[in-house]
Amino acid sequence: MSLISPQFPPGFVHYPQFFNQEEQRQLISQVKQAVATAPFYKPTMPGTGHPLSVVMSNFGPLGWVTDKENGYRYEKIHPRTGLPWPALPHLLEELWLKVSGYKYPPEATLINWYRPEMKSKMGMHVDNDENNFDAPVVSVSLGDPAVFRMGGLKRGGSTLPLKLYSGDVIVMGGESRLYHHGISKVFYGESDLVPKGGRINLTMRRVNSVIV
Ligand code: MD6
Ligand code: FE
């Protein structure tokens, strides 16, 4: 049962503890397997080349990547290895079917690792590099808890906090799909789920409106 404030925009849903401990451990082991062939890499901002504080990898046919030269985009291959991204685990495919209300499977699942030694956070942003916004973004939190902040359609202004724990799922669809949001704080060292500590966030997205 979700207890989020009615001030959150329509289309935003929080499922606390969607995944139990065993499922969380399973998801972490699948992330470990994926990064054995698609290692975490350090993404950089378009133009400035400034590194983000999280490291990233992806599951599925498309992966979200960014670098100084070519900016934010989706690619079929890992930027370092040149290999296709590992397949999406069934547990995540099932999650999408249960909560997205969308007729096609997700194309891209971004893996973000918030590392203790980097004190990683994520600034306010909008997920708008997709060609289609009909599908929601479905997001899974694993490991250390964090404060998610929901802003508005426009940049700046006030934000609402929501504490996310390991196993929580959020869905940003409908009106909330293009709202600003970010991670303002991670409570490092509270969970021992992630092997080297920190927080793993998985965000599942549809990139195109049709299957080609
Ligand atoms: C995070 N999440 O939880 C960052 N984006 O680490 C996101 O940026 C996000 O959780 C779109 C929809 C849901 C999200
Ligand atoms: Fe986002």
Side-chain angles (χ1 to χ4, degrees), residues 154-193:
K154 296 196 182 132
R155 231 190 132 64
S158 62
T159 62
L160 288 169
L162 175 66
K163 192 163 177 184
L164 296 177
Y165 293 89
S166 193
D168 285 12
V169 166
I170 62 177
V171 178
M172 275 176 74
E175 192 180 320
S176 73
R177 176 66 180 74
L178 293 170
Y179 271 47
H180 287 77
H181 58 277
I183 295 289
S184 58
K185 183 180 172 70
V186 177
F187 298 88
Y188 286 108
E190 286 200 11
S191 159
D192 56 13
L193 184 77

Side-chain angles (χ1 to χ4, degrees), residues 112 114 122 125 127 137-139 141 148 164 170 172 181 183 199 201 203 205:
N112 287 314
Y114 294 74
M122 190 172 292
H125 67 275
D127 289 31
V137 179
V138 173
S139 152
S141 292
F148 178 89
L164 296 177
I170 62 177
M172 275 176 74
H181 58 277
I183 295 289
R199 172 173 183 265
N201 170 250
T203 46
R205 304 190 185 88

Side-chain angles (χ1 to χ4, degrees), residues 3-12 150-152 158-161 175-176 179:
L3 294 170
I4 57 167
S5 139
Q7 299 167 71
F8 274 77
F12 183 89
M150 175 58 83
S158 62
T159 62
L160 288 169
E175 192 180 320
S176 73
Y179 271 47

